[in-house]
């Protein structure tokens, strides 16, 4: 996979993540609950006390994070900027570790899995893996 | 011909941008997790559930939807719909006194009955679904806590507005400590819905048309104050009912 294709892949994943976070933030703003289909666990997660940080819904932080991720990813993709790739890797790692923690909370503390959160986590992990592979395949700045 | 692989440069770790970025990301995550963990203890979520202000005490003997001793001289039957505001009023303002003054003292055997009629014709039928949820909690010996949480979280803006969603019923199940998988299987069990409907039909057969409807020793009561109800219970109980009681409007 060329650097350009990798850049478009991480950008695509970041945009999907942003859409998921925006949906979760939107349902929160409207006072509703996310639609879960048959796997109704996301409502439980959304109602839990872990869905907020400093009184601000975690989904809002997810939106902000994804927005930055999209920006950095586009920079790397369009300009092949190595510092942007490094930023993408660092932000991605932060995201991976944090969604790992959130998934741990869902599984062992809240006792319910939110499909939207799992989908979001998947975009973060995949994006980070691509960035890490790209970083490994290139020389240090 | 293969290109000779370049030897790794002997760059110190602190000058390696990837290593620095990795460490920064790990440190930032650890800080975030610590902060989130310390703040999650106090729920500030506006859509979070309200805990019941006056739950049925664990010390009250119970069997399913019945509270109190089987040998109690007075029988009080409450027919309710979890969506009905009057039932909420009864549950929050009268029921705790009946329990405290008469059930705890062995005078009254108090039974909850489903008369889930407010959601009829609506899809989803929230009255039926809430009643089924409470019966599913009953299967796990948690009817009363579930009942308390349902009333503590009734929609303040009216009925049939998509308030008692499966999400909310699940969230209450979580609060009450039910086994989620068993509860979810039970929620969709048609036999449970049929049982709730059957109880409603039984209620209609004995003359119930609305909720809450209170029967004392099998006689339908039209009571305006708690004083009237407690006086009636005392008169029926005779010497078994000790004087005194809590003040209620």
């Amino acid at each position: 996979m060329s650097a350009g294709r990798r850049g478009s892949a991480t950008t695509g994943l970041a945009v999907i993540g942003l859409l998921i976070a925006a949906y979760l933030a939107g349902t929160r703003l409207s006072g509703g609950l996310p639609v879960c289909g048959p796997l109704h666990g996301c409502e439980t997660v959304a109602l839990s006390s872990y869905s907020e940080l400093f009184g601000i819904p975690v989904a809002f932080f997810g939106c902000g994070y994804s927005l930055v991720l999209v920006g950095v990813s586009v920079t790397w993709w369009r300009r092949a900027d190595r510092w942007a790739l490094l930023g993408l890797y660092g932000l991605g790692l932060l995201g991976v570790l944090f969604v790992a923690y959130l998934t741990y909370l869902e599984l062992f503390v809240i006792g319910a899995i939110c499909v939207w959160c799992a989908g979001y986590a998947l975009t973060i992990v995949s994006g980070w893996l691509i960035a890490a592979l790209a970083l490994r395949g290139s020389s240090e700045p | 011909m293969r290109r000779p692989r370049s030897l790794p440069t002997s760059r110190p770790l602190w000058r390696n941008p990837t290593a620095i970025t990795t460490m920064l990301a790990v440190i930032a995550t650890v800080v975030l997790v610590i902060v989130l963990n310390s703040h999650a203890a106090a729920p500030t979520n506006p859509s979070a559930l309200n805990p019941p202000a006056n739950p049925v005490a664990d010390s009250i003997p119970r069997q399913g939807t019945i509270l109190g001793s089987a040998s109690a001289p007075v029988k009080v039957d409450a027919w309710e719909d979890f969506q009905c505001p009057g039932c909420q009023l009864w549950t929050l303002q009268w029921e705790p006194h009946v329990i405290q003054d008469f059930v705890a003292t062995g005078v009254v055997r108090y039974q909850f009955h489903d008369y889930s009629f407010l959601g009829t014709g609506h899809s989803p039928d929230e009255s039926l679904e809430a009643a089924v949820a409470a019966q599913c909690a009953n299967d796990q010996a948690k009817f009363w806590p579930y009942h308390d949480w349902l009333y503590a979280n009734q929609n303040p803006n009216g009925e049939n507005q998509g308030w008692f969603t499966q999400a909310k019923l699940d969230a209450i199940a979580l609060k009450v400590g039910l086994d989620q998988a068993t509860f979810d299987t039970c929620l969709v069990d048609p036999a449970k819905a049929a049982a709730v409907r059957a109880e409603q039909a039984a209620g209609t057969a004995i003359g119930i048309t609305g909720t809450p409807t209170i029967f004392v020793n099998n006689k339908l009561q039209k009571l305006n104050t708690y004083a009237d109800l407690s006086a009636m219970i005392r008169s029926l109980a005779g010497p078994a009912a000790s004087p005194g009681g809590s003040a209620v409007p």
Side-chain angles (χ1 to χ4, degrees):
Chain A
M1 199 191 268
S2 71
R5 280 181 65 189
R6 278 178 169 158
S8 61
T10 54
T11 304
L13 286 166
V15 169
I16 295 171
L18 178 62
L19 290 175
I20 295 175
Y23 169 68
L24 292 175
T27 55
R28 190 55 179 270
L29 272 179
S30 66
L33 286 166
V35 174
C36 272
L39 300 159
H40 38 80
C42 41
E43 303 100 332
T44 312
V45 174
L47 285 166
S48 83
S49 59
Y50 289 96
S51 69
E52 280 191 358
L53 186 56
F54 303 119
I56 300 164
V58 170
F60 289 16
F61 288 102
C63 272
Y65 169 81
S66 285
L67 210 59
V68 174
L69 209 59
V70 169
V72 175
S73 185
V74 167
T75 308
W76 175 51
W77 178 29
R78 305 312 300 175
R79 295 192 188 164
D81 185 320
R82 206 188 136 75
W83 286 107
L85 173 60
L86 202 63
L88 199 60
Y89 164 80
L91 276 173
L93 183 59
L94 176 89
V96 166
L97 295 173
F98 196 64
V99 295
Y101 169 68
L102 292 178
T103 308
Y104 154 78
L105 283 181
E106 288 179 42
L107 286 173
F108 301 105
V109 179
I110 305 168
I113 265 284
C114 147
V115 283
W116 292 102
C117 317
Y120 185 75
L122 205 64
T123 66
I124 300 295
V125 173
S126 317
W128 175 71
L129 278 176
I130 294 170
L133 285 173
L135 198 62
R136 201 167 155 242
S138 66
S139 57
E140 295 291 343
Chain B
M1 202 176 98
R2 281 179 66 187
R3 246 178 82 193
R5 226 178 131 173
S6 60
L7 287 169
T9 48
S10 56
R11 222 175 187 182
L13 208 61
W14 64 87
R15 290 192 59 193
N16 181 339
T18 310
I20 293 169
T21 310
T22 305
M23 273 160 61
L24 282 176
V26 171
I27 291 167
T29 312
V30 169
V31 170
L32 253 175
V33 165
I34 291 170
V35 170
L36 180 62
N37 223 13
S38 61
H39 281 79
T44 50
N45 185 342
S47 53
L49 300 166
N50 305 313
N54 218 341
V56 177
D58 289 337
S59 57
I60 303 292
R62 66 196 64 194
Q63 190 170 20
T65 60
I66 302 171
L67 292 176
S69 158
S71 58
V74 180
K75 197 172 112 186
V76 175
D77 292 279
W79 293 76
E80 302 175 41
D81 181 318
F82 287 110
Q83 279 205 97
C84 132
C87 301
Q88 186 193 44
L89 203 70
W90 161 265
T91 302
L92 300 185
Q93 295 191 6
W94 291 40
E95 189 183 87
H97 295 277
V98 174
I99 292 169
Q100 185 190 326
D101 297 346
F102 300 109
V103 177
T105 53
V107 174
V108 161
R109 172 185 175 275
Y110 181 78
Q111 184 166 7
F112 175 97
H113 300 269
D114 281 311
Y115 192 78
S116 307
F117 72 113
L118 289 169
T120 307
H122 294 268
S123 183
D125 182 338
E126 290 179 57
S127 294
L128 177 68
E129 290 188 2
V132 165
Q135 291 303 331
C136 290
N138 192 13
D139 284 357
Q140 295 186 44
K142 292 274 172 76
F143 172 81
W144 288 100
Y146 202 93
H147 152 279
D148 292 337
W149 277 87
L150 274 176
Y151 278 122
N153 292 281
Q154 196 187 64
N155 187 357
N157 302 315
E159 302 123 25
N160 304 315
Q161 297 178 355
W163 181 263
F164 281 137
T165 56
Q166 178 146 5
K168 198 156 267 160
L169 300 177
D170 268 346
I172 294 175
L174 191 76
K175 289 281 184 191
V176 168
L178 299 182
D179 179 87
Q180 201 88 22
T182 313
F183 178 76
D184 285 348
T185 312
C186 175
L187 282 187
V188 292
D189 182 1
K192 278 277 176 273
V196 170
R197 287 211 174 93
E199 189 158 42
Q200 185 192 342
T204 306
I206 57 169
I208 294 170
T209 53
T211 55
T213 299
I214 309 300
F215 283 77
V216 178
N217 279 357
N218 301 322
K219 275 176 78 177
L220 198 153
Q221 306 298 327
K222 297 272 183 214
L223 302 156
N224 293 319
T225 67
Y226 178 72
D228 292 346
L229 175 64
S230 72
M232 163 169 288
I233 293 172
R234 279 180 217 287
S235 70
L236 287 168
S242 54
S246 39
V248 188

